[in-house]
């Protein structure tokens, strides 16, 4: 194939060139960086150029509240606003705008503001946004190869309080604000939450983490099994009969207490079984979306992607109070719609399901966590449901299908769970 002449190269770049006859030829394309126009008719490049003020607002907030020479008093409303505008993002994707998260990390938001002001014991207890902000910042640190536990390590009591609150993020809490926020938790936020526990069970060498994590994969999980299944497994492992009898007595006593079992006992018995049940429910929803045409490759999927792309272009248009201007009314009005758009729901749900399987793989790959979890995983039927799901056969579910196959290998691995 002959090399392209200079006119051809210029025409591809969108500029004027010369044709083979020597006359001027105007190129038609603008290249991939050329942009195009959004729904309001303005060039998309002009919209993206406005994203810079968001980063400047983060720097201004840091200088004013925690990164300056003198730190300001703690403001819970500020934490909620930063989470909404710079960590969750206006598009509701959870995990946030990467640039803003990076600026928050570099400014020491976790070390200088979130963690020092996290209440070790209530009242008042930490808000939902405060707890989730710590989760997101820890995930951001680990994603950059930074040891996030080093910030939390010096204060064990505060860490224990945080871990207990983190376990309850998707649950109805003791106050109305927590309950309302947990009920409105998006799939992307749930994915960020599961990502945190993937890191937790991948950090069992950390003593304070291990003490909290291993409680969640202990014998009380077997309360989710049928009596016949438990009896069969106890017959195979008679050394567990005495601990199981003690747990049943404790459970009976706690059931008589007003308010039911304490959160610690409830999480030991229900955290992972409940997580698996929620994953199956999410998989059912994902199958329904694939059936409707949102699994990738269909017209519905293309429309959802276009909607998401247009929403991305409007991110930089919002101006915060710290920059001296109120947010634009149209952007604020459309934020809930963007958060509920099919493309965002599908992306968050897919990531949530993938992280659930990643967590299961990690639990099955380590003997201390596999010991009692294997029976719970088998009883849930998550693995066969995942492998035969419509979602696993769709383009969006390709990674999910590969992870389900890997989990199956660990499930079949020939090893004594109680060795």
């Amino acid at each position: 194939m002959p090399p392209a002449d200079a006119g051809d190269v210029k025409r591809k770049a969108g500029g004027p060139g010369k044709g083979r006859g020597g006359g001027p030829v105007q190129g038609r394309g603008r290249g991939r960086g050329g942009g195009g126009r959004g729904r309001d008719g303005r060039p998309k490049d002009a919209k993206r150029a406005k994203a810079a003020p968001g980063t400047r607002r983060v720097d201004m907030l840091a200088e004013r509240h925690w990164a300056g020479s003198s730190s300001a008093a703690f403001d819970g409303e500020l934490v909620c606003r930063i989470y909404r505008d710079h960590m969750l993002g206006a598009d509701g994707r959870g995990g946030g705008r990467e640039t803003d998260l990076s600026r928050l990390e570099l400014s020491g938001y976790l070390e200088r503001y979130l963690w020092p002001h996290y209440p070790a014991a209530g009242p008042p207890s930490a808000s939902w946004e405060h707890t989730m902000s710590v989760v997101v910042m820890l995930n951001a640190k680990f994603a950059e190869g930074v040891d996030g536990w080093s910030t939390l390590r010096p204060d064990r009591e505060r860490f224990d309080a945080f871990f207990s609150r983190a376990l309850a993020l998707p649950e109805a809490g003791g106050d109305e604000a927590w309950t309302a926020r947990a009920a409105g938790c998006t799939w992307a936020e749930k994915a960020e939450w599961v990502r945190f526990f993937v890191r937790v069970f991948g950090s069992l060498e950390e003593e304070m983490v291990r003490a909290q994590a291993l409680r969640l994969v202990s014998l009380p999980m077997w309360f989710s099994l049928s009596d016949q299944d438990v009896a069969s497994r106890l017959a195979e492992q008679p050394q567990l009969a005495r601990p199981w009898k003690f747990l049943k007595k404790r459970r009976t006593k706690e059931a008589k207490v007003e308010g039911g079992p304490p959160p610690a006992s409830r999480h030991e018995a229900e955290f992972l079984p409940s997580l698996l049940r929620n994953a199956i429910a999410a998989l059912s929803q994902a199958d329904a979306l694939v059936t409707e045409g949102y699994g990738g490759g269909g017209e519905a999927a293309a429309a959802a992607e276009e909607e998401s792309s247009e929403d991305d272009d409007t991110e930089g248009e919002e101006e915060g109070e710290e920059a001296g201007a109120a947010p634009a009314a149209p952007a604020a009005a459309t934020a809930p719609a963007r958060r509920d758009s099919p493309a965002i729901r599908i992306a968050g749900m897919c990531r949530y399901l993938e992280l659930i399987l990643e967590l299961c793989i990690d639990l099955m790959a380590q003997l201390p966590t596999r010991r009692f979890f294997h029976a719970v995983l088998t009883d849930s039927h998550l693995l066969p449901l995942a492998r035969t799901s419509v979602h696993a056969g769709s383009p969006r579910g390709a990674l999910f299908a590969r992870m389900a196959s890997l989990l199956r290998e660990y499930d079949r691995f020939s090893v004594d769970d109680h060795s």
Side-chain angles (χ1 to χ4, degrees):
M1 177 179 179
D5 59 21
D8 291 335
V9 175
K10 289 182 179 179
R11 285 194 298 276
K12 288 179 182 178
K18 291 186 176 181
R20 296 186 182 273
V25 177
Q26 182 67 36
R28 295 183 179 181
R30 293 184 59 191
R32 294 192 178 185
R37 294 183 180 273
R39 285 179 292 186
D40 58 359
R42 287 188 295 164
K44 290 185 178 181
D45 289 346
K47 293 180 179 180
R48 292 192 177 102
K50 282 191 173 185
T55 302
R56 290 199 294 271
R57 288 198 300 274
V58 171
D59 294 339
M60 291 170 61
L61 288 168
E63 183 65 25
R64 182 176 300 181
H65 293 279
W66 65 83
S69 55
S70 60
S71 58
F74 178 72
D75 184 355
E77 289 298 323
L78 175 66
V79 171
C80 294
R81 191 163 67 248
I82 290 176
Y83 177 75
R84 182 186 66 242
D85 296 341
H86 302 288
M87 301 177 75
L88 173 63
D91 60 359
R93 285 191 175 138
R97 301 164 173 168
E98 296 301 326
T99 304
D100 287 1
L101 271 180
S102 179
R103 299 303 298 177
L104 287 168
E105 159 63 15
L106 291 173
S107 69
Y109 183 47
L110 176 63
E111 299 90 334
R112 300 178 184 179
Y113 200 72
L114 288 176
W115 191 242
H117 294 289
Y118 197 90
S125 56
S127 68
W128 194 95
E129 288 82 2
H130 194 165
T131 304
M132 191 65 185
S133 293
V134 175
V135 167
V136 173
M137 291 307 300
L138 284 171
N139 287 345
K141 279 183 172 292
F142 286 119
E144 295 178 2
V146 179
D147 179 17
W149 305 126
S150 61
T151 300
L152 284 53
R153 194 178 295 128
D155 197 334
R156 178 65 176 269
E157 183 181 1
R158 195 185 305 273
F159 173 78
D160 291 346
F162 158 71
F163 196 87
S164 178
R165 297 289 279 178
L167 285 170
L169 278 170
E171 302 174 358
D175 57 79
E176 292 183 5
W178 182 287
T179 301
R181 192 59 187 83
C185 188
T186 66
W187 285 112
E189 289 173 310
K190 292 177 183 178
E192 198 72 20
W193 177 71
V194 176
R195 188 195 307 274
F196 169 72
F197 286 101
V198 170
R199 176 55 58 180
V200 164
F201 285 103
S203 304
L204 294 182
E205 72 283 355
E206 188 72 40
E207 193 276 332
M208 67 175 186
V209 176
R210 182 171 64 251
Q212 293 290 337
L214 290 184
R215 294 189 302 105
L216 304 177
V217 287
S218 56
L219 186 57
M221 281 195 300
W222 281 12
F223 282 118
S224 65
L225 306 180
S226 67
D227 292 339
Q228 294 82 357
D229 196 2
V230 171
S232 173
R233 294 181 184 279
L234 291 179
E236 295 175 0
Q237 302 293 332
Q239 74 276 12
L240 298 177
R242 188 172 181 180
W244 181 252
K245 185 177 180 181
F246 169 77
L247 285 173
K248 290 183 70 175
K249 288 183 177 179
R250 189 187 75 176
R251 186 179 178 90
T252 302
K253 290 180 180 179
E254 291 176 344
K256 296 177 181 179
V257 177
E258 185 179 356
S265 296
R266 182 163 45 82
H267 288 145
E268 287 176 3
E270 300 176 7
F271 175 71
L272 284 171
S274 175
L275 189 65
L276 295 179
R277 289 193 296 270
N278 292 336
I280 291 172
L283 184 58
S284 177
Q285 293 184 46
D287 285 350
L289 287 171
V290 172
T291 304
E292 292 172 11
Y294 290 106
E299 293 182 5
E305 293 291 352
E306 182 178 354
E307 177 185 353
S308 175
S309 176
E310 290 176 346
D311 290 337
D312 288 342
D313 298 329
T314 64
E315 280 185 1
E317 297 183 26
E318 300 178 10
E319 298 293 335
E321 295 175 3
E322 298 292 338
T334 57
R338 291 202 303 271
R339 193 166 293 135
D340 285 337
S341 69
I344 292 173
R345 284 205 314 275
I346 296 163
M349 191 182 298
C350 290
R351 192 67 190 120
Y352 171 80
L353 289 169
E354 291 161 4
L355 286 165
I356 289 286
L357 291 191
E358 183 177 351
L359 177 59
C360 291
I361 290 169
D362 288 349
L363 293 175
M364 292 292 286
Q366 305 174 85
L367 282 176
T369 55
R370 178 188 177 101
R371 185 182 185 191
F372 299 112
F373 175 71
H374 193 180
V376 176
L377 177 64
T378 302
D379 182 72
S380 72
H381 302 293
L382 173 62
L383 183 52
L385 289 172
R387 296 185 65 248
T388 59
S389 66
V390 179
H391 172 62
S394 70
R396 285 183 180 271
L399 177 58
F400 177 81
R402 291 198 297 272
M403 297 184 75
S405 297
L406 180 58
L407 178 58
R408 186 189 186 199
E409 294 301 317
Y410 279 104
D411 178 65
R412 291 178 162 186
F413 195 73
S414 179
V415 61
D416 183 0
D417 294 343
H418 299 273
S419 59

